[in-house]
Amino acid sequence: MDDYKNIFVVGLNDFNRSRLEQLRGAEHYRFHGVIAPEAVYDTEVFSIADMLQEATTQLEAFEGHIDAIVGYMDFPVSTMLPILCERFGTRTTSLESLLKCEHKYWSRKVQREVIPEFIPNFTAFDPFDDDALTAIGEAGLYFPFFVKPIKSSGSRLGFRIDTPEDFYHAVERLRADIGLIADPFNTVLEHAQLPKDVAEVDGGYCMAEEIIGGWQCTVEGYVYEGEVVSYGIVDSLRYPQVLSFFHYRYPSGLPEKIQDKIIELTDTVMTHIGYDNSAFNIEYFWDEVQDRLWLLEINTRISQSHCDLFEKVDGVSNQQITVDLGLGKRPDMPYRQGDYAIGAKFFYRVFFVDAVVTRVPSREEIDALQQEFPGTLIALQVEEGQRLSTLAEQDSYSFALAYIWTGAKDETELLANYESLASRLNFEFDEIVG
């Protein structure tokens, strides 16, 4: 047993365990779960203090050597890792550098220090302030603009604001639900040394930002011993006329010069932040008409959604990055050694306000489709009898009923395969609210 590296994964589930066990060097690793996966996947209620105590108790009870503590999820997992790693002497970035990415106001402030022309105008506001709209205008932001919490997860509680009525509707939703993340995020902030102006803007605040848009993409990268490495760019393509994602595609179809500029900006901002020995991904927009790049946001982890894409195209899940860095090693990530030239994750969605699911595709139907399209993985996100409004981590405009990962020889084949497959996914609904 002493020959193995013990790697503890916060929120480890069976799906990701199977991926981790296929990584390079995995025969020398033992993966252990810390905190049950349902505590971070199947709820929107997080007690960070309790979770930290539970994780600490589990880790202290382990009789072997703790070689790495890692995670592959956004909040609350990402924000707990620096605290746990510091307690147990394992490798990751500092809590302050992580918060310079995840605290959206602090992040914009430090981005503005080095790449001001690539970020939108922004301001923080208190959604419980009845004069917030006036304050936003005084900060130089006018309709339309976008609002979101200081710390959010996925696309939850993000709204485009075109009119005062839009703003008051968004504020009503924010006041009702922001505490679900604000309260646990504030628990994390108590562990950090914050500048005074940042400390005053806690998790209960929101951001208002100038509208940016264009071709959206995500650069996946890491920092090892101060060296910033960007190893892949994934395109994020939306459904026509709406904000909801249609699919993620790798490798990117962006022009080479735009990809080169994205990598340059990434190096600049991550070096300035002082982020180190951890994975990250940064979302950008390329406004093709104005030939202008915008940095949207920084995430302090690999994207789970991209794991299968890297495996299909490069030969191994980019969870390789997470594990290698957690062990203090330079990542051993292959390049273009996979079975497909292009990979994608599709989001099969309905654009209802609400409904009850009365039928989902059977296991036999799913298996038949996966056999017909080799390399395809279909993961249903709903069950019969479920009300769509009970689904966690949804955007404000649609519900994702299934995730579909697939690969192909080119984009034409990729889209044709998805359209054929999606047309045979038989969901049925009752009590539909359109």
Side-chain angles (χ1 to χ4, degrees), residues 87 148 157 190 211 336 383 416:
R87 286 180 183 177
K148 54 189 173 184
L157 298 179
E190 291 170 3
I211 294 286
R336 302 299 188 262
E383 301 174 347

Side-chain angles (χ1 to χ4, degrees), residues 118-367:
F118 298 97
I119 65 168
N121 188 18
F122 67 93
T123 190
F125 71 93
D126 180 354
F128 295 92
D129 178 3
D130 291 337
D131 296 321
L133 187 56
T134 300
I136 289 170
E138 290 172 349
L141 277 164
Y142 309 104
F143 301 120
F145 56 87
F146 199 78
V147 300
K148 54 189 173 184
I150 284 293
K151 178 67 194 128
S152 61
S153 181
S155 301
R156 287 188 70 251
L157 298 179
F159 302 91
R160 179 189 168 101
I161 307 299
D162 289 287
T163 66
E165 290 73 26
D166 288 343
F167 181 76
Y168 297 127
H169 169 72
V171 161
E172 184 178 349
R173 287 279 306 279
L174 287 161
R175 288 178 175 180
D177 295 336
I178 196 170
L180 288 172
I181 289 185
D183 294 342
F185 188 57
N186 285 340
T187 300
V188 174
L189 296 181
E190 291 170 3
H191 289 264
Q193 297 293 319
L194 306 175
K196 185 174 184 295
D197 59 334
V198 173
E200 291 172 348
V201 179
D202 68 11
Y205 274 68
C206 293
M207 292 284 284
E209 292 192 346
E210 176 186 359
I211 294 286
I212 56 177
W215 184 327
Q216 188 170 353
C217 68
T218 302
V219 58
E220 291 275 356
Y222 63 87
V223 187
Y224 175 73
E225 297 296 326
E227 178 189 358
V228 181
V229 178
S230 298
Y231 59 87
I233 298 177
V234 179
D235 292 334
S236 302
L237 304 165
R238 297 178 185 270
Y239 281 85
Q241 310 304 317
V242 294
L243 291 173
S244 303
F245 288 116
F246 176 31
H247 66 283
Y248 301 144
R249 179 184 65 195
Y250 176 67
S252 173
L254 283 165
E256 204 68 36
K257 67 168 187 174
I258 301 301
Q259 295 193 45
D260 289 345
K261 186 62 179 178
I262 285 171
I263 291 170
E264 177 192 327
L265 292 173
T266 298
D267 188 295
T268 299
V269 75
M270 296 311 286
T271 299
H272 180 64
I273 283 171
Y275 197 81
D276 203 7
N277 298 313
S278 288
F280 67 84
N281 69 73
I282 305 183
E283 299 171 51
Y284 289 91
F285 281 118
W286 175 47
D287 184 330
E288 193 170 0
V289 176
Q290 299 185 57
D291 191 21
R292 183 168 185 181
L293 274 168
W294 298 101
L295 191 157
L296 176 57
E297 67 179 20
I298 306 171
N299 301 299
T300 57
R301 51 175 171 74
I302 63 161
S303 169
Q304 247 192 107
S305 290
H306 299 163
C307 290
D308 190 74
L309 281 62
F310 281 96
E311 185 173 332
K312 282 181 165 45
V313 176
D314 289 336
V316 70
S317 162
N318 60 334
Q319 287 177 323
Q320 187 77 49
I321 305 290
T322 298
V323 170
D324 286 346
L325 289 170
L327 291 170
K329 302 194 307 185
R330 181 178 292 277
D332 178 24
M333 189 73 187
Y335 181 76
R336 302 299 188 262
Q337 295 179 24
D339 295 332
Y340 300 91
I342 188 170
K345 175 187 179 181
F346 288 91
F347 296 81
Y348 183 96
R349 297 183 183 274
V350 290
F351 294 86
F352 302 151
V353 172
D354 204 358
V356 174
V357 181
T358 56
R359 184 191 191 279
V360 301
S362 68
R363 185 68 258 171
E364 292 73 22
E365 291 169 332
I366 296 294
D367 289 343

Side-chain angles (χ1 to χ4, degrees), residues 32-203:
H32 310 270
V34 180
I35 301 178
E38 55 269 20
V40 290
Y41 277 105
D42 300 334
T43 180
E44 293 183 348
V45 179
F46 308 110
S47 172
I48 293 285
D50 290 345
M51 293 169 86
L52 285 170
Q53 184 55 55
E54 179 185 345
T56 299
T57 301
Q58 285 183 254
L59 290 161
E60 287 177 341
F62 184 70
E63 295 183 355
H65 190 267
I66 297 171
D67 297 291
I69 305 171
V70 301
Y72 43 74
M73 290 184 63
D74 192 7
F75 188 84
V77 173
S78 58
T79 44
M80 290 193 290
L81 287 173
I83 300 169
L84 291 173
C85 288
E86 183 178 24
R87 286 180 183 177
F88 291 92
T90 61
R91 301 261 292 208
T92 194
T93 197
S94 69
L95 179 59
E96 283 74 20
S97 66
L98 179 136
L99 290 172
K100 287 180 184 178
C101 303
E102 293 209 8
H103 186 297
K104 294 187 187 301
Y105 179 65
W106 197 5
S107 190
R108 282 302 192 205
K109 283 175 65 68
V110 295
Q111 292 165 31
R112 188 167 59 189
E113 291 167 3
V114 287
I115 56 167
E117 64 270 38
F118 298 97
I119 65 168
N121 188 18
F122 67 93
T123 190
F125 71 93
D126 180 354
F128 295 92
D129 178 3
D130 291 337
D131 296 321
L133 187 56
T134 300
I136 289 170
E138 290 172 349
L141 277 164
Y142 309 104
F143 301 120
F145 56 87
F146 199 78
V147 300
K148 54 189 173 184
I150 284 293
K151 178 67 194 128
S152 61
S153 181
S155 301
R156 287 188 70 251
L157 298 179
F159 302 91
R160 179 189 168 101
I161 307 299
D162 289 287
T163 66
E165 290 73 26
D166 288 343
F167 181 76
Y168 297 127
H169 169 72
V171 161
E172 184 178 349
R173 287 279 306 279
L174 287 161
R175 288 178 175 180
D177 295 336
I178 196 170
L180 288 172
I181 289 185
D183 294 342
F185 188 57
N186 285 340
T187 300
V188 174
L189 296 181
E190 291 170 3
H191 289 264
Q193 297 293 319
L194 306 175
K196 185 174 184 295
D197 59 334
V198 173
E200 291 172 348
V201 179
D202 68 11

